[in-house]
Amino acid sequence: MGISFKGVSKQFRRVRVLNNIDLDISHGDRIALVGSNGAGKTTLIRCLLGEYNFQGNISVDGLEPRANRTDVLKRIGFVPQLSPPLKMPVGQLIKFAAGVCQSKPERMLEICNLLGLDVEQIKRRPFNKLSGGQKQKLLISIALGRDTDLLVLDEPAANLDPEARHSFFQLLAEKQQHAAMIISSHRLDEVAALVNRVIELDQGDIVLDDHVADQIDLDSVLVCCLKLNRSDSAFAETIREWGFVDSENGLVWRGEIAGPDRLRFLGVLSRYAALLKGIQLDENNTAGGADVQAHTA
């Protein structure tokens, strides 16, 4: 798949949101589209999806998204940051989404199960009545359950629990050989380990476009042991949300984290630096790769 932006500009009334964007995206690119709120990330994505008129040209394998929207959208899996206010029951929504893109609903249901979403329990519930995490898991399942050439993910893991995030990263690992990816986020540390290219927008301009080395397998797992100077209830509540288990009266915690989540996890730990006596991270060799260790005394 080849995607090309040539001189793309967009403004709302008198406010210019995109400023003469030139950008080429190729098969195998996994792009972190980063920038602060209002930088133009979502507008760029909406133009690519054919939702906005704009100045300039966008081509998806020779097709213009606005004029050929149906054909272009068949090739794109999209997970929005804000869930649409759909009232359609969950079971009907999956069948509808599968039919539109000529995919198998069974694959979408399989991914729902991998993410920890029991569709059987909620199949008659309107989509707009689901929790934020349930909506996110369902939208991801629909996007990844399709045969697509491009995945566009806008803050895709924001509402996922750590176990679901791990499954999500494994699913992306399966997709990376077959599809390009654009992962939008306002924080680079949230998506850095998922990508091999970083594009930063600032006030509608591309201020950074750089390739980065692939250093972490998307499906890697880190076995972690945390030692504390003293027990702490706030820390205990936080670390349990990551699936960790207390092994010594709140002084030693053990668990596993997904490799791509390591920066996010270390960011959480930094809030409790004064409590930490030791950290050990070892890559689980059953997931492949060499040992990685980090220790503090």
Side-chain angles (χ1 to χ4, degrees):
M1 162 171 275
I3 301 170
S4 176
F5 294 76
K6 299 296 183 186
V8 174
S9 296
K10 175 64 179 177
Q11 65 183 50
F12 296 98
R13 297 182 180 178
R14 296 184 178 181
V15 179
R16 198 172 181 87
V17 182
L18 296 177
N19 184 33
N20 202 35
I21 297 293
D22 289 323
L23 177 64
D24 292 308
I25 300 171
S26 303
H27 178 82
D29 279 342
R30 301 196 311 275
I31 294 172
L33 183 63
V34 298
S36 60
N37 290 332
K41 305 186 301 299
T42 299
T43 300
L44 186 71
I45 288 172
R46 299 290 181 181
C47 289
L48 173 62
L49 297 175
E51 295 184 14
Y52 291 154
N53 289 313
F54 54 86
Q55 295 175 308
N57 295 286
I58 299 177
S59 172
V60 180
D61 272 356
L63 298 176
E64 199 278 315
R66 190 73 175 172
N68 306 278
R69 194 173 182 210
T70 300
D71 290 332
V72 169
L73 290 181
K74 284 181 180 179
R75 309 180 64 181
I76 298 176
F78 175 49
V79 179
Q81 179 182 8
L82 299 176
S83 301
L86 299 174
K87 296 182 180 180
M88 189 180 296
V90 169
Q92 185 179 343
L93 177 59
I94 292 174
K95 292 180 181 179
F96 173 78
V100 167
C101 58
Q102 299 177 338
S103 298
K104 296 181 179 179
E106 292 80 9
R107 176 55 178 162
M108 296 178 183
L109 291 170
E110 180 184 347
I111 295 176
C112 284
N113 289 330
L114 290 173
L115 294 175
L117 182 64
D118 188 346
V119 174
E120 188 63 28
Q121 290 188 349
I122 60 171
K123 63 182 181 181
R124 294 183 176 84
R125 192 180 305 173
F127 176 81
N128 64 342
K129 298 298 183 181
L130 301 180
S131 69
Q134 289 173 326
K135 290 177 182 177
Q136 194 80 345
K137 289 176 181 179
L138 185 57
L139 292 174
I140 289 173
S141 299
I142 289 173
L144 270 61
R146 303 170 56 186
D147 293 326
T148 54
D149 298 312
L150 174 66
L151 285 174
V152 180
L153 311 170
D154 196 350
E155 302 282 3
N159 292 312
L160 299 183
D161 55 85
E163 187 174 351
R165 287 172 69 92
H166 186 198
S167 297
F168 173 58
F169 298 144
Q170 289 179 317
L171 290 164
L172 289 186
E174 296 174 7
K175 280 281 190 180
Q176 65 181 330
Q177 303 300 325
H178 311 289
M181 301 181 191
I182 300 174
I183 305 175
S184 176
S185 178
H186 67 286
R187 290 183 56 180
L188 179 57
D189 63 335
E190 290 278 339
V191 297
L194 303 177
V195 303
N196 56 20
R197 185 178 175 189
V198 177
I199 295 173
E200 182 177 0
L201 286 176
D202 184 35
Q203 296 183 349
D205 290 305
I206 294 178
V207 296
L208 174 70
D209 184 353
D210 196 14
H211 287 80
V212 296
D214 287 321
Q215 296 179 331
I216 299 175
D217 292 331
L218 293 181
D219 57 355
S220 64
V221 178
L222 298 175
V223 179
C224 182
C225 176
L226 304 174
K227 297 181 180 180
L228 274 60
N229 293 307
R230 57 180 173 82
S231 61
D232 182 86
S233 59
F235 178 86
E237 182 178 354
T238 297
I239 207 66
R240 283 196 182 101
E241 292 177 356
W242 285 80
F244 276 60
V245 176
D246 174 11
S247 60
E248 292 185 22
N249 296 319
L251 295 177
V252 178
W253 294 84
R254 302 180 188 277
E256 294 183 346
I257 62 171
D261 252 346
R262 68 176 71 188
L263 288 177
R264 182 171 178 264
F265 180 68
L266 291 173
V268 170
L269 291 184
S270 68
R271 304 201 299 263
Y272 301 95
L275 290 174
L276 292 170
K277 182 179 180 181
I279 304 171
Q280 182 173 344
L281 291 172
D282 297 289
E283 188 161 346
N284 189 337
N285 287 326
T286 60
D291 286 345
V292 179
Q293 295 189 351
H295 303 275
T296 64

